Amino acid sequence: MLNGRTVLITGASSGIGAAAARLFAEEGAAVVLMARRADALAEVAAPLVEAGARVAVAPGDVTRPADVERAVALAVDTFGSLDAAFNNAGWGTGGTVLHELDEGVYDRVMDLNVRGVWNCLRHQIPAMLKAGTGGAIVNTSSTAGIVATGAVAPYVAAKHAVLGLTKAAAMEYGESGIRVNALVVGSTRTELMDELLQDVPELEASFTARAIQKRMAHPREVAQAAAWLCSDRSSFLTGASMPVDGGWS
Ligand code: NDP
């Protein structure tokens, strides 16, 4: 499905991003993996390289424009193009009502989830425009991006903003053949989820109860949706918010 494509994946050192790295490589893509922890990225990359995949690692922070610019340049210099991107790095925390929130937490959540996606878009899109062959970009939002749940206000605001950026970018670059879509991800068993459940354990029951499938997603199930959106199989889809939530919404 992704044969011959070069895809940049952010947040590739764990969870959904690491699952995407494995799946995209299996599907024939050259993958550029970005996250802050170089050692964790190397662990994800090693078996892929061993299996014959084309992999480059770009340790860096998506909140820093220069790091994202370097990752995009690495894709183009190493594999000849940037055809698709999965802007997936994100983080949130819960358990504190809005008026008691620490300002540092607010800043961190907004900076990573919103500025991080914007940084990615503003460096990936020029590379795609320059190549003139279009592109596919997938941003990771959340069910929190369409419905507010309690005590996670900055995350709710940030993931709503991801959908806004997705729609705006889809509109601005549609005629250039660049498609921009978002995943509305439901509860998924990853490090982020483990961290959240440590803070607010009672959330687990409510997350699984609301999903029609009565379970959380496996990271690979989310990666499968991202792969489809990065491929030509979704060629007439742009500006969309695609739920991968087991029927939660
Ligand atoms: P993980 O914590 O497993 O993965 C998050 C990834 O983001 C890691 O690879 C982390 O790597 C990377 N990351 C964090 N901060 C930065 C940064 N500043 N720059 C670059 N990379 C960064 O969580 P998930 O896989 O669950 O999360 C992936 C996405 O899915 C996020 O956007 C999250 O909000 C979203 N999501 C997750 C849900 C869930 O239930 N798990 C539900 C809905 C949405 P490193 O620390 O090495 O930088």
Side-chain angles (χ1 to χ4, degrees), residues 18 63 104 106 136:
T63 67
Y106 178 89

Side-chain angles (χ1 to χ4, degrees), residues 105-220:
V105 169
Y106 178 89
D107 287 345
R108 186 177 165 202
V109 171
M110 296 305 277
D111 218 36
L112 170 56
N113 294 284
V114 187
R115 182 182 295 275
V117 169
W118 178 57
N119 278 337
C120 288
L121 292 171
R122 70 191 173 118
H123 290 293
Q124 292 157 356
I125 287 169
M128 291 174 176
L129 289 174
K130 193 170 170 201
T133 49
I137 298 176
V138 180
N139 300 321
T140 302
S141 183
S142 161
T143 47
I146 54 171
V147 174
T149 49
V152 283
Y155 190 69
V156 166
K159 291 302 191 184
H160 273 72
V162 170
L163 296 182
L165 281 172
T166 300
K167 289 174 196 169
M171 200 203 68
E172 290 181 21
Y173 302 101
E175 283 185 35
S176 308
I178 299 172
R179 298 184 298 109
V180 189
N181 292 294
L183 291 179
V184 176
V185 178
S187 307
T188 307
R189 269 286 170 202
T190 63
E191 284 180 17
L192 173 67
M193 177 56 69
D194 291 344
E195 199 183 312
L196 181 65
L197 293 181
Q198 231 170 28
D199 293 342
V200 200
E202 60 274 20
L203 281 180
E204 177 156 12
S206 68
F207 283 163
T208 48
R210 180 159 171 176
I212 293 172
Q213 292 183 251
K214 303 295 176 215
R215 65 171 176 85
M216 294 195 191
H218 303 294
R220 192 175 172 93

Side-chain angles (χ1 to χ4, degrees), residues 4 9 21-23 29 33 38 48 56 66 68 84 87 89 96 98 103 108 112 120 166 196 212 223 238 243-244 249:
I9 302 168
R22 294 180 195 110
L23 179 69
L33 311 182
L48 306 184
V68 180
N87 298 326
T96 309
L98 192 143
E103 207 166 323
R108 186 177 165 202
L112 170 56
C120 288
T166 300
L196 181 65
I212 293 172
T238 195
V244 190
S249 54

Side-chain angles (χ1 to χ4, degrees), residues 11 13-14 16 36-37 61-62 88 155 159 185 188 190 193:
S13 63
S14 71
I16 294 165
R36 292 164 307 171
R37 289 171 295 164
D61 185 329
V62 292
N88 164 75
Y155 190 69
K159 291 302 191 184
V185 178
T188 307
T190 63
M193 177 56 69

Side-chain angles (χ1 to χ4, degrees), residues 221-236:
E221 293 177 302
V222 182
Q224 281 164 351
W228 184 74
L229 288 174
C230 284
S231 79
D232 279 344
R233 297 212 176 155
S234 56
S235 55
F236 201 50

